[in-house]
Amino acid sequence: MRLCEEIEARLNDAFTPQELHVEDDSESHRGHGGWREGGETHFNVKIRAPGFATMSRLQRHRAVHAALGADLVGRIHALALDIDA
């Protein structure tokens, strides 16, 4: 399973989002730190879920990182998050 699919699956399981878009943006970072041939190093995530309504911005980011798990986060160089309720 590709990392993009893993990210989607874990976030869907954890938050049942109304909207979820995961984009592998690795190619636009070619030559930058952390980039690897084949991609799967830089991701943009946009997620909208009611569960975020009562959380601060920091709590939302921590919740997403916890849902992804240290094993998956450790394989990613950069993760840009756009999180809202």
Side-chain angles (χ1 to χ4, degrees), residues 8-43:
E8 284 183 13
R10 292 186 190 196
L11 294 178
N12 272 317
D13 288 346
F15 302 109
T16 316
Q18 297 167 325
E19 181 181 355
L20 177 60
H21 301 285
V22 179
E23 175 190 7
D24 183 348
D25 190 37
S26 302
E27 191 55 35
S28 67
H29 296 275
R30 180 180 282 274
H32 299 170
W35 181 86
R36 291 186 304 264
E37 190 67 45
E40 297 196 320
T41 57
H42 296 73
F43 292 90

Side-chain angles (χ1 to χ4, degrees), residues 47-60:
I47 184 169
R48 303 291 182 261
F52 294 129
T54 60
M55 295 181 189
S56 69
R57 182 173 182 261
L58 181 58
Q59 288 171 322
R60 292 173 183 181

Side-chain angles (χ1 to χ4, degrees), residues 53-74:
T54 60
M55 295 181 189
S56 69
R57 182 173 182 261
L58 181 58
Q59 288 171 322
R60 292 173 183 181
H61 281 254
R62 286 180 175 163
V64 166
H65 279 259
L68 294 177
D71 63 314
L72 193 148
V73 172

